[in-house]
């Protein structure tokens, strides 16, 4: 059974940084696609960054490009999201997610993922 556990959320001032971590159990990195999504109050869950198997490619939402970096530590079975120059509009619950290999996957679309973590709150104050 795949389980994902996020950590690292918190409250920061605008311009600050946070690093989110997502530790996976029952799942082997490079076996599928992974991503970070977020959901702000009253809004749909949206893709923030997507990571292809074996790190062949990563993609980012335009709103975070140049500020956020997705990465993996395969030895630790952990996915990271380094967030710099945070803005109040980055405030949301952040989720890591994964999709098994095969089938349609759109890193922006939460409905194409198979598993989600429980989420971690990120609050950015102005």
């Amino acid at each position: 059974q795949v389980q994902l556990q996020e950590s690292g959320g918190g409250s920061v001032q605008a311009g600050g940084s946070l690093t989110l971590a997502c530790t996976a159990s029952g799942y082997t990195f490079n076996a599928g696609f992974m991503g970070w999504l977020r959901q702000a109050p009253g809004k749909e869950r949206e893709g923030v960054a997507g990571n292809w198997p074996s790190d062949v490619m990563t993609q980012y939402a335009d709103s975070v490009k140049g500020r956020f970096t997705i990465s993996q530590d395969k030895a630790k079975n952990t996915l990271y999201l380094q967030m710099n120059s945070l803005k109040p509009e980055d405030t949301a619950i952040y989720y890591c997610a994964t999709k098994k290999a095969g089938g349609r996957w759109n890193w922006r679309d939460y409905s194409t993922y198979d598993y989600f973590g429980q989420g971690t709150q990120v609050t950015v104050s102005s």
Side-chain angles (χ1 to χ4, degrees):
Q1 183 179 357
V2 175
Q3 291 188 326
L4 304 174
Q5 179 70 52
E6 301 96 339
S7 61
S11 297
V12 295
Q13 291 193 327
S17 298
L18 284 172
T19 301
L20 305 184
C22 171
T23 301
S25 60
Y27 175 78
T28 302
F29 275 53
N30 289 331
F33 305 91
M34 298 203 73
W36 285 97
L37 301 95
R38 67 186 180 186
Q39 188 166 18
K43 294 188 177 181
E44 282 202 350
R45 196 170 296 188
E46 62 174 0
V48 174
N51 189 235
W52 271 248
S54 301
D55 291 325
V56 296
M57 187 164 59
T58 58
Q59 287 198 321
Y60 299 91
D62 288 344
S63 59
V64 307
K65 202 172 293 183
R67 300 187 297 122
F68 291 12
T69 304
I70 187 172
S71 63
Q72 297 183 14
D73 184 332
K74 298 173 183 59
K76 296 182 178 179
N77 239 28
T78 300
L79 182 75
Y80 298 97
L81 186 68
Q82 174 68 44
M83 305 186 296
N84 299 325
S85 302
L86 282 162
K87 303 176 181 180
E89 51 264 42
D90 294 320
T91 295
I93 299 174
Y94 283 72
Y95 300 88
C96 71
T98 184
K99 187 205 178 311
K100 296 174 287 189
R104 186 180 76 89
W105 178 65
N106 178 345
W107 63 273
R108 298 177 185 270
D109 184 354
Y110 69 90
S111 70
T112 63
Y113 289 86
D114 296 316
Y115 303 99
F116 284 89
Q118 85 292 345
T120 186
Q121 177 71 47
V122 172
T123 303
V124 185
S125 58
S126 56

